[in-house]
Amino acid sequence: MGEWLTGRLWLVWLLVGGFAAAAYPLLPQNSHLANLAYEAVGLGAVIMVLLGVRRNRPARRAIWYWFAAGLGIWSLGDVTYGVYAHRTGTAPIPSLADVFYLGAYLPLAVGMWLLLRAQGRDRAGVIDACITASGGGLLLWVFAMRPIADAGNVSFIHRTFSLAYPFADVVLLVLLARLLTGRAARTTSYWLFVAGLVLMFATDVSYSVLSTYAEVPPGILEIGWLSSYVALGGAALHRSMGALSEPVDALETTLSVARLAVLAISSLIAPVLLLGQGLAGVHHMDWLAIGVVAVALFLLVVVRMAGLVRKVQSQSEQLAELAMRDDLTGLPNRRLLEELIRDELDCGGHPQVAFIDLDDFKRINDGLGHAVGDQLLAAVGRRLTGVLRPGDVAARLGGDEFAVLMPDTSRTAADALVSELAAALEQPVYAGEHHLLVQAGIGVADAAGTRDPFELLRRADVAMYAAKESQSRQERFRAEFDQRASEHARLGAQLREALDQGQFQLVYQPIVALPRGEIAGVEALIRWHHPELGFMSPADFIPVAERNGQIVELGAWILLEACSQAATWMATLGNAAPGKVSVNVSARQLAEPDFAEVVAAVLAATGLPADRLAIEVTETAVFGGGRAIEALDAVHRLGVRIALDDFGTGHSSLGLLQTCPVDILKVDKSFVDNVTMAGRHAVIATALINVSDGLNLDAIAEGVETAEQARELYRLGYRYAQGYHFGRPVPSPQFVLESAAA
């Protein structure tokens, strides 16, 4: 019981103190009992603050000691006021009680200032607080301070002390507004602390206004002051009080709807008061006060908007910078390099470009791990940058490919610099604990006869392949390279253009449920309609993309496009939408360290549920294990299903079922072609469906071309199939079956 009470002492204090505050008006006014109860709550609040500091041990105790001092001085004012009230029936103005009351504002203000400083710099929050306080201060001047200042029936000392209270409240309002607009953690202690200050401010203002225009009702306003004592004591007792004075993120304050509404109302106070006084026919309008505050509010709003504009511009520049930079090396990426080349060409310059591709990087990546590979790429980026002249630009194009732009450079100077680059790369590179020797093929080209940045990069790319084929390590582009370069080199350059110009298209082939042939899912397949060569088979360009690393970007585009289409079908077709979309993933994609993050980002961006996506990989892609299996494990944990494509044709198909997170087996077409023939032809297909059933995997028979094959597969136990018999790949979501299995 004692431990429970200790942990909830703040709640007990709130209940007891709240009851005392609510019951105070019921006590005989100016009696010993009333004065004793009032003073007990005030002194109790001081004790609770000190007890909270001792129990919770905040990092910045001085802040709370200042608050305790302020409450203690305020309580001394209460005791002094009680003595006056007991002797004379009321306290004179001014009196020693007023000295204590006004003196309490100083330690409270110091404590607030220390608290706000501990929470970090927030320029926008300070401006918002000034805007709010300016509007509130103007209201206090018009309705409380101005009548006191104009009162001619009181002494100068009386008027001075009477004005000091609302002036102190204005200071409290500024600090309170800053606290409310700040970025402090919204804990229980925070809200109790804010409640205490709001009650104190509201009660002070109410007293100033009521005492100016009418008789203050006895015992009513005391509820507010007593409640402020209770709330501040509870804030100190709660275990979250330490977080109130902890440093917080000092980012600029955001403009929420509520904050914007408060700022708008505060900004309108001055013109509304001016309009109201004019309509009411007030003879002595507060021109000066309203005018000064209106100008101050205007300037504050201008400064606030200027800060917002600068923030938006800064964020826009940062986003643009991030979009044009490689995350790993910090170098410009391909798009930024293309823009720089275009700018150079548009200005009439004569740029030279060197295209650099590292040798055996995949072996290093697979053998030593991606962490070492990443460190190697970063070190190569620094090595290249260290050789460049002022004005030259090194960029990472993707994978292990780099490029160097040499603006307005002669062939002789460019060739000399390329030789320096090659020599620099031949020096050992330290990647983590490894001492690595790397080499690279370098192709260099100029812009003679072209003003197209893509063409310049293509020439350098072709020259780089020529350098690798000739073992010369570096080559300058020559016209004959286009005639004798390998098809892979030419296709590699064209693939880049195809990606940039949107020449690729996805088609979808249905995966059906046997025996009726209902569509259970689709497989996304890529098609390339070359503007000059016409339709190109994936068998022609996918190996090229694998070799030069473009498969990573192409695969990411396929994944995003397929998931977007699947999400659209879900939204438009409902239950008629395909239940799953399968996307083929290459070994090169699995080797990327962020493959799982890419899949997660695509699912989040498209809104497609993870269980509606299947990743298809060939056995050869995961045969080596290592990073590929780790990538599939990470994707599988997202809820994405994994399918082994062309199952049964790899090196160790059954062994993969023990190491790879498989959900689906796609039985290769070679085992389906002769499944209707008697004898041994159906044995493997039968064995594979038994393996699938035993491991609780879905088996999909590929390459089904006849109704007889479909019927026999169903008889053997297959429940899913795919092939031309059920539908050819088409871009439209309206899949029409040519026929159905009987």
Side-chain angles (χ1 to χ4, degrees), residues 9 44-69 71 189 193 232-242 244-245:
L9 182 59
V46 177
I47 295 173
M48 293 302 112
V49 171
L50 296 175
L51 180 61
V53 172
R54 181 176 180 180
R55 293 178 65 241
N56 298 316
R57 300 183 180 277
R60 292 167 172 79
R61 302 184 186 183
I63 295 174
W64 294 96
Y65 287 142
W66 280 105
F67 290 142
L71 292 177
S189 180
F193 188 79
L232 291 174
L237 284 174
H238 196 272
R239 63 178 179 273
S240 64
M241 62 94 76
L244 185 63
S245 57

Side-chain angles (χ1 to χ4, degrees), residues 513-575:
L514 298 176
R516 298 179 58 85
E518 301 94 341
I519 296 178
V522 294
E523 179 181 358
L525 302 168
I526 190 168
R527 296 292 183 262
W528 182 12
H529 295 277
H530 195 282
E532 297 176 0
L533 303 177
F535 174 78
M536 297 192 67
S537 170
D540 294 329
F541 65 84
I542 290 297
V544 179
E546 286 268 12
R547 176 179 173 182
N548 62 21
Q550 290 173 340
I551 191 65
V552 175
E553 184 177 352
L554 180 60
W557 176 84
I558 294 172
L559 182 65
L560 178 61
E561 188 75 11
C563 290
S564 297
Q565 182 62 75
T568 300
W569 287 336
M570 285 181 58
T572 57
L573 302 180
N575 293 333

